[in-house]
Amino acid sequence: MREIELYKGQKSYKINLFGLTRELPLVQVDNGIWIASDAELVLGDTEFIEKAAINIARLIQPYDPEVLVTPEAKSIAFAYEVSKRLGHKRFVIARKSIKAYMKDYLVEIVKSITTKGEQKLVLTREDAEYIRGKRVCIVDDVVSTGGTILALRKLVSRAGGKIVCEAAIWKEGFWYKGSNLIFVDTLPVFVSKDKIKEFEKYLK
């Protein structure tokens, strides 16, 4: 699978995964850059979420994690299903804002390709205490630049958890160079003709 594709005005990108065929809409995220958005899949396609969870759970099971940590909000349903299949009674969500009910918390700043500006990732004191001393798997639906993964690593480490694996359904594009990510497929980044050469040099 190529990590970069030429954008020719196409509206969607077809995927064939876990025996399912779906069309992902292409969304412009920057000047001359489009990505295939999985939001509709992971926020409501129960058939896809279930099959993705079965496959990811099988891949991460050998690492014997005791708890999954996932960012709010797209990957919550997916992480829930993976957690169930691993026999976990609880998983932890890193929130994207500080709520009034949070009396104590850990915060990391993250910049994601799909959102404008900086975001927060927040662990409540209760979630941090639950993670402490446990074997942790960080789970997300898609990893692009790796900014979210890095922020989650920092949060888990600060909470005293031990990261044993990181997993996602997709790695997107060419940005993330980490070698330890468990993933099933690659989503290409779509680039305009005048920028394709500029981006292909990063693949060399």
Side-chain angles (χ1 to χ4, degrees):
M1 175 65 69
R2 281 175 56 84
E3 296 174 335
I4 295 176
E5 295 284 350
L6 178 63
Y7 181 71
K8 302 176 182 177
Q10 58 269 52
K11 301 298 183 183
S12 64
Y13 176 72
K14 182 180 289 187
I15 63 162
N16 294 283
L17 201 60
F18 313 126
L20 302 174
T21 300
R22 297 290 189 269
E23 293 274 347
L24 305 185
L26 295 192
V27 178
Q28 188 168 11
V29 294
D30 207 339
N31 183 31
I33 304 175
W34 291 256
I35 62 171
S37 173
D38 72 335
E40 293 181 11
L41 280 186
V42 296
L43 285 173
D45 190 326
T46 54
E47 182 183 27
F48 182 86
I49 292 168
E50 181 178 22
K51 291 203 172 186
I54 290 169
N55 281 273
I56 291 294
R58 186 181 301 123
L59 292 174
I60 68 177
Q61 193 166 24
Y63 295 86
D64 194 26
E66 297 173 277
V67 61
L68 305 184
V69 175
T70 198
E72 196 176 46
K74 274 200 303 137
S75 57
I76 291 176
F78 170 58
Y80 168 77
E81 291 293 339
V82 175
S83 188
K84 278 202 311 183
R85 280 156 180 77
L86 293 173
H88 296 172
K89 295 182 178 179
R90 178 179 172 184
F91 69 104
V92 169
I93 301 167
R95 318 299 170 86
K96 288 188 176 176
S97 61
I98 299 169
K99 306 295 186 182
Y101 63 79
M102 297 179 181
K103 303 304 179 185
D104 194 10
Y105 45 81
L106 301 176
V107 178
E108 286 291 338
I109 302 298
V110 60
K111 176 71 167 66
S112 170
I113 191 173
T114 55
T115 55
K116 301 296 184 182
E118 291 183 339
Q119 284 186 341
K120 294 183 178 71
L121 283 180
V122 185
L123 279 184
T124 64
R125 177 181 62 190
E126 292 78 13
D127 285 337
E129 289 176 350
Y130 185 76
I131 288 171
R132 186 176 300 124
K134 288 187 171 64
R135 296 168 58 84
V136 175
C137 178
I138 293 172
V139 173
D140 206 349
D141 57 305
V142 59
V143 173
S144 299
T145 63
T148 300
I149 287 283
L150 178 60
L152 287 171
R153 275 191 214 140
K154 291 179 179 177
L155 279 177
V156 170
S157 295
R158 288 171 61 192
K162 179 184 178 183
I163 300 170
V164 295
C165 60
E166 300 164 353
I169 304 170
W170 293 283
K171 183 176 81 73
E172 183 173 61
F174 56 87
W175 293 286
Y176 187 67
K177 299 302 182 183
S179 60
N180 297 322
L181 179 68
I182 298 166
F183 65 99
V184 178
D185 201 6
T186 299
L187 287 176
V189 171
F190 295 81
V191 181
S192 60
K193 186 176 181 180
D194 61 325
K195 288 199 169 190
I196 192 75
K197 293 298 182 184
E198 172 188 340
F199 282 87
E200 283 187 334
K201 68 183 181 182
Y202 293 105
L203 301 178
K204 297 177 181 178

